Amino acid sequence: MAHTFEDLVNLERLAEEAHAAYIDSPGDDTRAAWLAAADTFQAAVVEHAAAEGKSRYEVEMAAKKAVRHPETEAA
C-alpha cells in the first residue's frame, strides 16, 4: 500500500512522540516502541519515495520539517 505524504507526517509524529516518551522514561519498552515507530516511518518513506519517483532523502526531510517546523509550511 502506497503511503500519502500525510501518512508520512503522521508516522513521523508518532516516532517523535515515542522518542519523547523514551527521553521522559528511559527503558527497554519505551526504547523498543521508539525504534519500532522510527522503523515504520523509514519503511513508509522508502515506499512513498519509490512510488513517487522522488529522492528518499527529500521525502524524509519534507515529512520531518512538516512535523518539527509546521509554521514554515503555512508561510
Side-chain angles (χ1 to χ4, degrees):
M1 168 183 106
H3 292 277
T4 65
F5 184 75
E6 292 78 21
D7 292 339
L8 299 181
V9 170
N10 289 331
L11 289 171
E12 172 59 11
R13 190 170 289 118
L14 290 173
E16 285 293 310
E17 290 170 1
H19 181 244
Y22 172 68
I23 296 299
D24 287 344
S25 180
D28 290 343
D29 291 345
T30 54
R31 183 175 188 275
W34 167 38
L35 295 177
D39 286 347
T40 300
F41 169 69
Q42 287 297 322
V45 166
V46 169
E47 184 180 300
H48 179 80
E52 296 291 318
K54 295 182 179 178
S55 159
R56 183 211 52 83
Y57 176 80
E58 290 176 4
V59 170
E60 178 181 349
M61 291 301 106
K64 288 183 177 200
K65 181 179 178 184
V67 171
R68 297 174 187 180
H69 307 285
E71 66 283 353
T72 60
E73 293 296 311

